[in-house]
Amino acid sequence: MLGIPLVAVALMIASGAAQADAIYKHVDEKGNVTYSSSPPKGSGKVKKLEVPDKPSASEVDAARRQLEEEKRQLEAFDVERRRQEAERAKAEEERAARERTASQATPAAVVADDVPVYYPTWGYRPPLRPVNPWPLPEPPIATPPPVSPSPPLMAPPIRPAPEPR
């Protein structure tokens, strides 16, 4: 949107030098394109391009005013965009803070000392055999007595040799 007025102003200024002159476009046999202010000599395709007249001072002023107005609008849009981004960031930060505090809070209805209570419904029958709520502790596992170490190795006693007969 901003580029159109800039191009228009550039064309108006550039066309001032070639106010009533014609521009010729020449394409030779090899496909090379040449632009000139005089008709080319030789063979090839030649096309005369019309150049618009130089814009009046009022047209140039109107284009400059339009350009300045578009710059002001662009700056206003940029300021508004930054304001909206700041508001979104602030709202996101507040939402995250609320979620942090909500996840850390304990509801008032739940207390750690509350014990769930069972109320039997119609047709409830207790079990036939009462369940012992305090079972006897299991007997300790018997461990074998420690084994005494074997006596130190000793040489067998020396016996006297039998008497000769």
Side-chain angles (χ1 to χ4, degrees):
M1 183 168 184
L2 184 63
I4 295 172
L6 288 176
V7 171
V9 169
L11 286 175
M12 288 180 211
I13 293 172
S15 65
Q19 183 174 357
D21 297 338
I23 296 180
Y24 296 93
K25 177 181 176 183
H26 177 254
V27 180
D28 63 3
E29 295 85 21
K30 295 180 182 177
N32 296 328
V33 179
T34 306
Y35 293 94
S36 66
S37 59
S38 61
K41 296 178 182 165
S43 63
K45 189 175 177 183
V46 177
K47 183 177 180 184
K48 182 178 179 182
L49 303 175
E50 295 297 325
V51 178
D53 293 335
K54 182 178 179 181
S56 66
S58 62
E59 290 174 335
V60 172
D61 289 339
R64 284 190 184 130
R65 282 193 304 270
Q66 182 180 0
L67 179 63
E68 292 300 320
E69 179 62 28
E70 289 177 1
K71 282 183 182 178
R72 280 193 295 274
Q73 287 178 354
L74 182 63
E75 289 171 0
F77 289 147
D78 192 40
V79 167
E80 179 65 20
R81 179 186 56 85
R82 288 181 184 160
R83 185 188 62 78
Q84 288 177 354
E85 286 177 355
E87 286 178 2
R88 281 191 207 116
K90 184 178 178 183
E92 179 66 24
E93 187 176 313
E94 289 173 356
R95 184 189 61 79
R98 280 194 308 267
E99 286 180 0
R100 281 193 304 270
T101 56
S103 66
Q104 294 171 354
T106 304
V110 177
V111 179
D113 296 337
D114 288 348
V115 178
V117 178
Y118 174 72
Y119 295 104
T121 60
W122 183 82
Y124 170 76
R125 294 182 184 196
L128 297 175
R129 186 169 36 116
V131 178
N132 186 1
W134 297 283
L136 295 175
E138 293 185 15
I141 299 174
T143 57
V147 179
S148 64
S150 61
L153 294 177
M154 297 172 55
I158 300 176
R159 295 185 192 178
E163 302 255 343
R165 296 192 224 186

